[in-house]
């Protein structure tokens, strides 16, 4: 899987995942994960409560390895394995690990998460899965595979859900107010279709604590983390908002009505003073929820 975790997932990029080319999305995935690094650093510090000194960390659905390498930096005694099904993303993860000086304790494993993690050489003390589980048809079975991959006392940290990202006020002065809410509704419909069309799809209530308990983990904690970048945005954050909206335009364009499509096009036009490129009111607000489940000793 390729969520580096655009909410990979923004995830959130638009939720028509069945047609996503994750290798093509590599620059966007890196951009989002790097911008969100303060959020992920806060998550990593919080995870010390359950795993203060993990020796083996697995990033299940690592994407280009931004978070994998952040975990390697947070836990300097740990070996980190980045797991993904897309080789160009794993290539980039290895390049990042080399550049950041953690390659001596960093490795990759190419596999689909629904094939299990049986090829791991050692059990994990900490298994991080950010917006990757929802790409697997049978999420309960995959979560059971995560549990099997843990050492006794090991922890799964599952990032799923949260809230859709917000970039603008409700009324932005062009088009009908509430543009992002209407885009969210289209994405939710696309997400449901994507889930239904996955190989071996199983309908599952997204009660992550209950699913953790059902596969033999002890749900221990849940916490939501914010990335709150208020207006006016930095150049990097503004560039990301442009990239995110551009991606939505490409995926959702034919499903937007004519008025909303025209508004999105204006928001992306660098020559338009009402565009993201110039707006003083653009911001970035994301909320990511993390669930922790511990394997009994």
């Amino acid at each position: 899987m390729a969520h580096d975790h655009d909410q990979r997932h923004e995830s959130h990029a638009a939720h028509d995942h069945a047609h996503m080319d994750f290798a093509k999305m590599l620059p966007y995935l890196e951009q989002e994960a790097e911008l969100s690094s303060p959020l992920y650093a806060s998550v990593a510090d919080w995870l010390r409560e359950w795993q203060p000194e993990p020796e083996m960390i697995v990033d299940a659905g690592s994407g280009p390895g931004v978070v994998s390498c952040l975990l390697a930096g947070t836990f300097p005694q740990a070996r980190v394995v980045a797991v993904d099904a897309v080789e160009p993303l794993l290539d980039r993860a290895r390049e990042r690990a080399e550049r950041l000086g953690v390659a001596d304790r960093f490795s990759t494993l190419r596999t689909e998460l629904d094939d299990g993690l049986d090829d791991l050489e050692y059990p994990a003390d900490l298994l991080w899965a950010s917006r990757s589980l929802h790409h697997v048809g049978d999420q309960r079975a995959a979560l059971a595979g995560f549990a099997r991959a843990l050492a006794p006392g090991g922890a799964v940290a599952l990032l799923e859900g949260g809230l859709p990202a917000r970039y603008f006020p409700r009324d932005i002065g062009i088009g009908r107010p509430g543009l992002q809410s209407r885009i969210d509704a289209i994405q939710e419909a696309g997400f449901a279709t994507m889930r239904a069309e996955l190989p071996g799809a199983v309908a599952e209530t997204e009660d992550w604590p209950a699913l953790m308990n059902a596969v033999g983990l002890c749900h221990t904690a849940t916490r939501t983390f914010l990335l709150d970048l208020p207006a006016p945005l930095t150049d990097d954050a503004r560039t990301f908002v442009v990239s995110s909206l551009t991606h939505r335009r490409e995926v959702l364009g034919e499903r937007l009505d004519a008025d909303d499509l025209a508004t999105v096009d204006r928001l992306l036009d660098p020559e338009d003073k009402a565009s993201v490129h110039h707006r003083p009111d653009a911001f970035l607000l994301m909320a990511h929820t993390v669930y922790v489940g511990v394997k009994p000793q």
Side-chain angles (χ1 to χ4, degrees):
M1 309 315 301
H3 268 26
D4 210 24
H5 317 245
D6 183 282
Q7 225 178 359
R8 316 157 105 358
H9 130 244
E10 284 220 312
S11 9
H12 302 95
H15 272 131
D16 192 4
H17 298 75
H19 302 101
M20 279 186 174
D21 182 341
F22 288 126
K24 183 178 179 181
M25 289 175 61
L26 194 156
Y28 172 78
L29 297 174
E30 282 191 321
Q31 187 181 43
E32 189 215 19
E34 289 171 352
L35 191 65
S36 301
S37 288
L39 182 153
Y40 294 122
S42 296
V43 175
D45 286 342
W46 179 63
L47 293 175
R48 289 182 184 278
E49 295 183 27
W50 296 277
Q51 287 295 326
E53 295 183 347
E55 295 182 4
M56 176 72 164
I57 298 174
V58 172
D59 184 353
S62 63
V66 177
V67 178
S68 311
C69 290
L70 184 150
L71 291 169
T74 302
F75 299 101
Q77 76 289 346
R79 180 162 190 81
V80 176
V81 180
V83 179
D84 206 284
V86 183
E87 190 62 34
L89 298 180
L90 294 177
D91 289 342
R92 186 61 63 91
R94 290 188 290 268
E95 292 170 5
R96 177 177 291 270
E98 185 72 35
R99 185 171 72 251
L100 296 179
V102 298
D104 60 329
R105 51 191 180 85
F106 188 94
S107 60
T108 61
L109 174 63
R110 183 178 181 182
T111 188
E112 295 282 358
L113 295 187
D114 52 6
D115 291 337
L117 299 175
D118 296 335
D119 290 336
L120 289 171
E121 190 172 358
Y122 301 103
D125 301 301
L126 176 63
L127 192 151
W128 168 255
S130 174
R131 288 186 301 271
S132 54
L133 190 62
H134 68 237
H135 290 281
V136 180
D138 191 337
Q139 297 174 103
R140 183 185 297 247
L143 190 56
F146 292 172
R148 289 194 302 273
L150 289 178
V156 169
L158 182 68
L159 190 158
E160 288 287 351
L163 296 173
R166 281 290 176 268
Y167 310 137
F168 313 113
R170 184 189 65 88
D171 190 336
I172 57 175
I174 58 174
R176 289 183 295 145
L179 172 67
Q180 284 200 263
S181 294
R182 291 190 295 279
I183 291 175
D184 291 344
I186 295 171
Q187 290 188 180
E188 287 294 335
F191 183 85
T193 299
M194 180 279 295
R195 284 286 317 150
E197 294 178 349
L198 285 172
V202 176
E204 196 77 71
T205 301
E206 293 177 357
D207 183 343
W208 304 113
L211 284 174
M212 286 181 164
N213 293 335
V215 301
L217 299 171
C218 178
H219 172 247
T220 304
T222 299
R223 181 173 166 186
T224 297
F225 294 81
L226 293 181
L227 179 68
D228 183 7
L229 304 179
L233 289 174
T234 64
D235 289 344
D236 285 346
R238 192 177 296 275
T239 298
F240 170 73
V241 172
V242 171
S243 297
S244 180
L245 194 60
T246 298
H247 181 71
R248 285 174 163 77
R249 170 66 172 83
E250 292 171 352
V251 174
L252 303 178
E254 64 183 22
R255 285 173 273 176
L256 293 169
D257 68 29
D259 289 342
D260 283 345
L261 187 59
T263 300
V264 171
D265 285 342
R266 287 194 64 184
L267 286 168
L268 292 173
D269 181 358
E271 301 302 319
D272 194 319
K273 293 302 182 183
S275 74
V276 180
H277 301 272
H278 304 289
R279 299 188 70 90
D281 60 351
F283 58 89
L284 177 56
L285 182 63
M286 294 184 182
H288 296 335
T289 302
V290 180
Y291 304 86
V292 176
V294 176
K295 186 172 184 175
Q297 294 279 0

